[in-house]
Each structure stands twice: as structure tokens, then as C-alpha cells.
Amino acid sequence: MNKFIDILHSDHSTSTIAKYKNFRRHLMEFSDKLTYKDINLSFYDAIKMHWLENTNENENLSNTTINKNIKLLKTFMQWASDRNMTANDEFKRFKPMPQHEPTIIALSKDEFERILSLKIMNIHLAQVRDVFCFACLTGQRWSDISCIEKEQIKNGAWSITQEKTKKKVKVPLPSRRY
């Protein structure tokens, strides 16, 4: 796993590397003596129960997080298999846990306007409000907003390469002054 994470540094974002490091920590909390041959359906059942019941002193993981961890495990195992580090392919039989669709909560236009017009005396909190409202108006992630530069804005649009997806996008900026 350490070799895999080291190799990720060459062509993956820092957030992806952090996910795998966090995943490795979760695996180590379960067992620090795992081998490739241990990754079987019994392991799968046991680690799911561990993550559901015993993670971080009773801070249990959700089904969504467990499914993400299983996906990371499968990616790692496929990487190891492709490099002939293991012939174990039982990980391919791991199925995701059932998940509930998340409740999507969105601000109404009135709620947004109230937040935007809120008089805040603390400069730091006023800046936080402004960045939040900018994120709402542009639909962009904090990882991109935090790196915005004046040179990226031309003709009423913000041209960026998104941190997470590495896609080049042109984000129209609101024409109305808020």
C-alpha cells in the first residue's frame, strides 16, 4: 500500500493521495498484519462490520463512506494484481452496501439574498459570507475558488482548470451586481 501511495504522487491530486492515506489508516485500525491473501469475502464481511461498529472510538462510518473505502481497496488490489504482486482476485466479488439517496438541501433565492445582504461587522466572517455566496453563484468548489487569480477573469468569465477533475472550464460570472 505504501508503494502504491508513493506512485500516486506522480499523477494524482493531493486530495486523492489524502483519501488513500486515510483509507490506509482505516485498514491499519482494523489490522496491521494484512496480506494480499487475507483479502477475501470473510475479510470483506469483517471489515464492513468493523467500520460500521468500531471505527475511531465509536465514530461509525456511513454506508457511503464504507462503499468509497471498498472502491479504494478494489482499485489498490487491481493495481497489485496488474503488477503480479498477487493472484488473489476475490476482491472483484465485493459488492457495495445499500445506500439511501442523500437529501439535497438548496437555498431559495430569498434565503440567498438574506445571507448576501446580512450586515456582518467582523471582517473575517464577512469575507467567509462573500466567498460562500460566490461559490453559490458560480457552482465551483472551494479548492478552485481558493486559487482564483485576477488573470483568470476575462470578458465576464472565469477560465480555470478545475483541481478535482483537471477539466478546463469557463465559468460565466453573474452580470448583476450583488
Side-chain angles (χ1 to χ4, degrees), residues 23-40:
F23 167 67
R24 178 182 56 196
R25 182 180 57 79
H26 284 301
L27 275 181
M28 297 294 286
E29 288 171 358
F30 177 73
S31 173
D32 60 357
K33 295 177 176 44
L34 286 174
T35 64
Y36 291 119
K37 69 179 180 175
D38 295 328
I39 309 300
N40 55 35

Side-chain angles (χ1 to χ4, degrees), residues 14-109:
T14 53
S15 61
T16 298
I17 294 163
K19 282 183 221 173
Y20 277 99
K21 287 181 177 180
N22 191 43
F23 167 67
R24 178 182 56 196
R25 182 180 57 79
H26 284 301
L27 275 181
M28 297 294 286
E29 288 171 358
F30 177 73
S31 173
D32 60 357
K33 295 177 176 44
L34 286 174
T35 64
Y36 291 119
K37 69 179 180 175
D38 295 328
I39 309 300
N40 55 35
L41 289 172
S42 295
F43 159 82
Y44 174 66
D45 293 337
I47 200 160
K48 282 193 313 183
M49 291 309 297
H50 172 77
W51 285 337
L52 283 168
E53 297 173 354
N54 304 315
T55 304
N56 292 335
E57 299 162 15
N58 296 325
E59 183 185 326
N60 305 337
L61 300 182
S62 70
N63 287 11
T64 302
T65 302
I66 291 171
N67 285 341
K68 287 178 185 176
N69 281 344
I70 294 300
K71 184 177 178 184
L72 294 175
L73 174 64
K74 290 173 79 168
T75 299
F76 166 69
M77 288 296 291
Q78 187 63 57
W79 174 87
S81 179
D82 291 346
R83 285 153 184 79
N84 297 319
M85 297 175 166
T86 182
N88 178 359
D89 67 352
E90 201 162 340
F91 68 91
K92 292 178 180 178
R93 296 172 53 197
F94 298 174
K95 302 289 184 219
M97 298 177 66
Q99 293 177 204
H100 300 291
E101 287 297 316
T103 303
I104 297 174
I105 301 171
L107 294 174
S108 68
K109 185 176 180 182

Side-chain angles (χ1 to χ4, degrees), residues 91-142:
F91 68 91
K92 292 178 180 178
R93 296 172 53 197
F94 298 174
K95 302 289 184 219
M97 298 177 66
Q99 293 177 204
H100 300 291
E101 287 297 316
T103 303
I104 297 174
I105 301 171
L107 294 174
S108 68
K109 185 176 180 182
D110 182 57
E111 289 168 328
F112 175 78
E113 295 284 345
R114 284 189 300 177
I115 291 170
L116 188 61
S117 63
L118 188 64
K119 301 292 181 222
I120 301 175
M121 301 309 284
N122 180 303
I123 296 261
H124 174 72
L125 293 179
Q127 289 172 336
V128 169
R129 180 217 40 225
D130 293 345
V131 171
F132 173 78
C133 290
F134 183 76
C136 289
L137 290 169
T138 62
Q140 297 305 298
R141 297 176 189 89
W142 167 248

